[in-house]
Each structure stands twice: as C-alpha cells, then as structure tokens.
Amino acid sequence: MSPLTRFAQSRTAWLILFASAAALEGCALYFQYVMLLDPCVMCIYQRLALFGVLFAAALGCIGYRHRVVRLMSIILWGISAAWGLKLAIELVDMQTNPSPFSTCSFLPEFPAWMPLHEWLPSVFMPTGMCTDIPWQLFGVTMGQWMIVAFSVYLLALIIFAIPALSQTKDSRN
C-alpha cells in the first residue's frame, strides 16, 4: 500500500479536513462577532457548504475503516465544496460587478422543513449586503479567499478520492 493510500484511508486525513473546516467556521464567527462584520446571505450559504465539508469529515473520522462510509464522505465533501465554490464565485461577481438587477435576498431560502435561520439565527441569519466588501487581506476579499479555500478542498478531493476508495489487501470492506 502506498503512503498516499495509507494516509487517505487514515483517520488523520479526515481529522485534518475536519480541523480546516472547523477553523474556517471559527473564522466566520470571529469576523461576525468579534470584528462585527455582517454576513450576507451568500456568506451564510457558504457557511452551510463548510458545514457540509465539516459533516463529511466527521463521518469520515468515524467510519474511516469502511470503504462505503469513505465513499459517502467523499461524495458529501465533493458536493459541499463544489456548491461552496459556486457560491463564492457568484458572491465575488456580485461584488465586482454590482447591478441593481442582480442582488441577493435579505433572508436565506432554506427549505420549509429546515429553517436554519430560525433555529440558529446566531449562525445562519444574514445581516449584511452581498455587494459590501467589509474586509480584505493583501487586497483579496473574503469572497475571493473562499474561492481559494473551496478550490483547495476540491483539489484535495481529486488527489485523495481514488486512494481513499482503493481496496487494499489488508481490508476488503
């Protein structure tokens, strides 16, 4: 078994994914509650995408020894990261090309059976505008940094998916 395969099938790989998503969620809450930057609805949706990556990583940590669980985790990871990347690109487009005809809504459009903004408003209630750019680091906006983050998640997925799902001689699960 190659070192990449051994790592991709280890709990450590999933813990690293979990820690990175948890750190990004922590940063989002720090920006909101310490730096007092209001999240827009697109930010909230990206938060939800990060929670998808976080949940995929938690699932992978629990069931890393089972190929079926790793497959479910990888699928959730991929869907969440791709959706987050799409949202981040849309947000950056709104910020760089503001238009009165292309705006984001004031309330998130969660399904009626899962109104996260009502259940946990401190995390999922948007209070800002999508066209605002309240923070930059090295001239890069928060939305642009999220494009980088979600792209890195997808790149990592591409690198680790096949080794994580490969069948080894040690285990036939």
Side-chain angles (χ1 to χ4, degrees), residues 66-144:
H66 306 284
R67 228 165 79 177
V68 172
V69 176
R70 289 193 308 263
L71 174 63
M72 290 186 314
S73 299
I74 285 170
I75 290 169
L76 181 57
W77 172 8
I79 290 169
S80 298
W83 184 54
L85 179 60
K86 176 187 173 292
L87 293 167
I89 290 169
E90 287 176 12
L91 176 60
V92 169
D93 183 52
M94 280 186 218
Q95 291 174 337
T96 56
N97 303 308
S99 167
F101 305 109
S102 175
T103 61
C104 60
S105 64
F106 291 107
L107 286 176
E109 297 173 10
F110 294 124
W113 52 269
M114 191 177 71
L116 294 175
H117 63 295
E118 293 174 9
W119 293 347
L120 196 57
S122 60
V123 177
F124 294 111
M125 180 62 79
T127 53
M129 297 299 298
C130 292
T131 53
D132 292 346
I133 301 176
W135 179 87
Q136 291 185 16
L137 179 63
F138 308 121
V140 180
T141 68
M142 198 177 304
Q144 292 166 331

Side-chain angles (χ1 to χ4, degrees), residues 1-16 60 64-66 70 159-171:
M1 181 168 25
S2 77
L4 180 61
T5 302
R6 203 168 23 260
F7 177 70
Q9 294 183 6
S10 72
R11 177 175 279 154
T12 302
W14 294 104
L15 284 172
I16 291 170
Y64 72 97
R65 290 191 172 128
H66 306 284
R70 289 193 308 263
I159 292 170
F160 289 103
I162 291 175
L165 296 174
S166 68
Q167 193 164 358
T168 62
K169 292 178 183 176
D170 300 348
S171 65

